[in-house]
Amino acid sequence: MKKITVIIPSRILDNKLIYFIRNFQKRFKKIKLNFVIIVKEIGIKKPKIKNSIILIQKKKGFMNACFEAINYVSDEYFTFIYDDDIFSKEIEKMYEKVKDYEFVMTYGKVSNIKKKYKFDKINFKEINSNEILNTFYGGKISKLPFTPVSPICAIFEKKILKKWKSNIIKYCRKSKLRKKFLLDLNIGPDLILYLTQLSYLK
């Protein structure tokens, strides 16, 4: 059975978050998930979530939460999910594909969380990593309607984590504007995660 670490950064660990995680767990029968939950505070006594590590964030900021959490990824593969995400009932099919491929990705949509959303049936296509990389730089391929940048839409390899973090930190050192966007406003690290993973597949 494949194991995948799921990182969940959130503001508070409360009954609502536990319900969200348990609902997510129910979708998986063949894949074992290990959770790294990092929050600013714990709002309930003795929270219990199967196969999980619960962390209190040390430094403020969303990206610091992510950087602290990645040190606890125990499996060969990992992903992120957020507590306002809604997932297709077929999501395990995507996770299962890590048995055959180094990198798997799909699509999501930004929508009102209260709105009912009809998910498309999952339909997999095999695409060369160089072709996907090219779409981030203006190229187009018929197999990709658009290029995702949210990490919840993909399964990544653990081996890229240190490189991902160092890429962001080095890039931000050269400019206060870069730091503002990437580390303060959280705009860009998701894209760099994709680019780092795809560069490993070349």
Side-chain angles (χ1 to χ4, degrees):
M1 181 183 284
K2 275 286 181 184
K3 297 178 183 179
I4 298 173
T5 296
V6 179
I7 301 171
I8 308 176
S10 188
R11 187 184 68 79
I12 184 170
L13 179 54
D14 55 11
N15 287 322
K16 185 179 177 181
L17 183 60
I18 290 177
Y19 177 80
F20 168 81
I21 295 169
R22 287 177 179 165
N23 245 7
F24 184 74
Q25 286 175 315
K26 288 177 184 178
R27 300 185 186 274
F28 294 84
K29 307 296 181 186
K30 301 174 184 177
I31 301 290
K32 181 182 177 183
L33 303 179
N34 293 310
F35 293 92
V36 177
I37 304 158
I38 184 160
V39 294
K40 294 179 181 178
E41 60 179 302
I42 296 177
I44 55 176
K45 293 182 179 179
K46 298 181 179 179
K48 291 184 180 180
I49 301 170
K50 186 179 178 183
N51 301 324
S52 70
I53 296 171
I54 299 171
L55 307 171
I56 301 292
Q57 187 175 339
K58 295 176 181 178
K59 293 183 179 180
K60 68 177 183 178
F62 176 79
M63 284 312 302
N64 282 324
C66 294
F67 290 158
E68 290 172 29
I70 64 175
N71 295 319
Y72 295 85
V73 172
S74 57
D75 302 306
E76 186 180 355
Y77 294 91
F78 76 95
T79 190
F80 288 87
I81 63 171
Y82 306 136
D83 58 15
D84 60 352
D85 293 326
I86 299 172
F87 300 93
S88 164
K89 292 179 180 179
E90 295 187 287
I91 190 170
E92 187 176 36
K93 291 181 181 179
M94 182 188 84
Y95 281 52
E96 283 185 280
K97 286 292 180 179
V98 299
K99 294 183 292 186
D100 306 310
Y101 300 96
E102 294 172 283
F103 176 59
V104 181
M105 71 178 194
T106 184
Y107 293 100
K109 180 181 180 181
V110 178
S111 182
N112 189 318
I113 196 169
K114 294 179 181 179
K115 181 182 176 182
K116 286 188 177 180
Y117 181 71
K118 184 179 179 182
F119 289 94
D120 295 331
K121 190 171 182 63
I122 287 182
N123 183 16
F124 293 102
K125 296 175 182 178
E126 187 173 340
I127 305 173
N128 182 275
S129 61
N130 285 326
E131 288 185 84
I132 301 172
L133 265 174
N134 192 42
T135 65
F136 285 97
Y137 298 98
K140 292 183 180 180
I141 49 178
S142 59
K143 295 176 184 176
L144 273 182
F146 57 92
T147 308
V149 293
S150 173
I152 67 165
C153 296
I155 308 296
F156 304 90
E157 294 180 286
K158 177 184 177 180
K159 68 183 182 182
I160 74 164
L161 280 172
K162 289 182 180 178
K163 187 67 175 176
W164 172 60
K165 180 180 177 180
S166 67
N167 282 344
I168 293 171
I169 292 172
K170 287 177 183 177
Y171 187 71
C172 290
R173 279 180 186 154
K174 298 180 180 180
S175 165
K176 289 183 179 180
L177 183 63
R178 292 177 182 179
K179 179 182 179 297
K180 178 69 176 178
F181 274 89
L182 273 77
L183 297 181
D184 298 338
L185 299 177
N186 315 314
I187 300 171
D190 295 351
L191 173 59
I192 293 173
L193 183 61
Y194 273 94
L195 294 177
T196 304
Q197 175 65 82
L198 289 166
S199 68
Y200 270 73
L201 303 178
K202 289 177 69 178

